[in-house]
């Protein structure tokens, strides 16, 4: 478990305090920060988690405020440090949540840093997201796709096959949130075309370079 002294905790309200820097089998650069009472997960060029402040998911969940009241189970592909769990808890929702991530180091941190009471309804799965969604037999009320290599989504995330597999594992009234970072306008347009082919009922919210796609079946 990561321990911070008082000076670090106070200093974190001025600037992010780096607690750990290293690498894992999946990420050549991994950094763990503590900033204003929240844990942040970073790589060389991207921030993957920011506790209950993680804006892509804050925006996505706020778009589904009414739907969240009835959703009992959530699948998150790309765990970060469990921001989805923190945000839903802050909003007063406590569904059963499955966090899937290929990086076992990241999942270990989730198990250490999430409050004990939030882990009760949280399942951690070390798996490639593409393989997981192909092989699972379960369905969910909400699926979150927040998968990146640096600032780029892996090719499989942009494929129609992967998106249709996600749709297949949603309830008949289910929803999907996807986070996308625009690095190239043409690539984004291609992704959106594919996404909207699979999920015609989609709303896009822009946050800087991020595009938050919220779709309903």
């Amino acid at each position: 478990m990561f321990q911070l002294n008082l000076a670090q905790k106070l200093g974190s309200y001025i600037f992010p305090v780096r607690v750990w820097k290293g690498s894992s089998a999946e990420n050549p650069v991994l950094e763990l920060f503590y900033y204003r009472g929240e844990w942040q997960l970073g790589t060389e060029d991207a921030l993957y988690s920011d506790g209950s402040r993680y804006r892509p998911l804050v925006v996505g969940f706020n778009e589904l405020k009414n739907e969240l009241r009835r959703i009992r189970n959530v699948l998150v592909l790309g765990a970060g440090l469990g921001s989805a769990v923190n945000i839903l808890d802050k909003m007063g929702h406590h569904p059963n949540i499955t966090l899937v991530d290929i990086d076992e180091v990241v999942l270990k941190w989730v198990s250490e840093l999430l409050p004990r009471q939030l882990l009760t309804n949280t399942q951690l799965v070390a798996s490639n997201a593409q393989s997981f969604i192909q092989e699972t037999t379960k369905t969910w009320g909400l699926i979150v796709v927040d998968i990146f290599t640096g600032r780029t989504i892996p090719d499989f995330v942009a494929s129609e096959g992967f998106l249709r597999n996600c749709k297949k594992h949603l309830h008949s009234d289910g929803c999907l949130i996807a986070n996308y970072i625009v690095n190239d306008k043409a690539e984004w347009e291609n992704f959106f075309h594919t996404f909207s082919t699979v999920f015609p009922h989609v709303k896009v919210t822009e946050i800087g370079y991020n595009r938050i796609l919220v779709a309903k079946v």
Side-chain angles (χ1 to χ4, degrees):
M1 183 66 180
F2 299 99
Q3 300 291 335
L4 287 85
N5 58 42
L6 181 59
Q8 288 175 310
K9 290 180 179 178
L10 293 175
S12 76
Y13 285 88
I14 302 172
F15 54 83
V17 174
R18 187 166 66 193
V19 178
W20 190 91
K21 181 177 181 179
S23 63
S24 70
E26 305 299 334
N27 289 288
V29 177
L30 269 182
E31 295 183 290
L32 182 66
F33 296 92
Y34 190 73
Y35 184 50
R36 296 186 175 182
E38 302 275 16
W39 293 99
Q40 297 180 329
L41 174 66
T43 60
E44 196 166 21
D45 58 354
L47 185 69
Y48 288 165
S49 198
D50 191 16
S52 61
R53 293 188 300 254
Y54 186 53
R55 287 201 68 199
L57 296 192
V58 170
V59 168
F61 290 147
N62 278 330
E63 285 291 335
L64 296 174
K65 273 185 177 178
N66 293 331
E67 288 77 8
L68 287 175
R69 297 169 185 166
R70 59 170 171 75
I71 290 173
R72 296 290 176 262
N73 61 347
V74 177
L75 171 64
V76 182
L77 301 175
L81 292 178
S83 280
V85 183
N86 284 303
I87 296 165
L88 288 171
D89 174 64
K90 192 172 182 178
M91 295 176 71
H93 300 291
H94 304 94
N96 292 312
I97 301 178
T98 302
L99 299 179
V100 176
D101 204 282
I102 197 170
D103 197 324
E104 294 186 14
V105 172
V106 171
L107 289 178
K108 181 175 183 294
W109 289 353
V110 174
S111 70
E112 294 175 350
L113 298 176
L114 268 185
R116 295 295 101 185
Q117 69 272 18
L118 298 186
L119 281 171
T120 303
N121 296 325
T122 303
Q123 180 185 11
L124 307 180
V125 179
S127 175
N128 175 286
Q130 184 178 23
S131 300
F132 180 88
I133 202 66
Q134 284 177 341
E135 296 167 5
T136 184
T137 58
K138 296 182 179 180
T139 58
W140 284 268
L142 171 63
I143 295 177
V144 177
V145 180
D146 192 24
I147 307 169
F148 291 90
T149 302
R151 292 173 53 83
T152 305
I153 64 167
D155 290 342
F156 77 82
V157 175
S159 71
E160 184 173 339
F162 172 78
L163 294 171
R164 289 201 180 279
N165 268 329
C166 288
K167 188 174 185 178
K168 175 183 175 182
H169 292 288
L170 283 170
H171 296 165
S172 59
D173 58 351
C175 306
L176 183 139
I177 298 171
N179 183 19
Y180 185 97
I181 295 178
V182 179
N183 299 296
D184 178 273
K185 185 178 179 182
E187 289 179 357
W188 155 245
E189 290 174 349
N190 287 336
F191 174 78
F192 181 71
H193 174 75
T194 303
F195 189 96
S196 58
T197 298
V198 180
F199 294 98
H201 306 292
V202 56
K203 178 178 179 180
V204 180
T205 302
E206 298 184 10
I207 312 173
Y209 290 103
N210 289 74
R211 300 293 182 269
I212 314 305
L213 302 94
V214 178
K216 300 177 183 179
V217 174

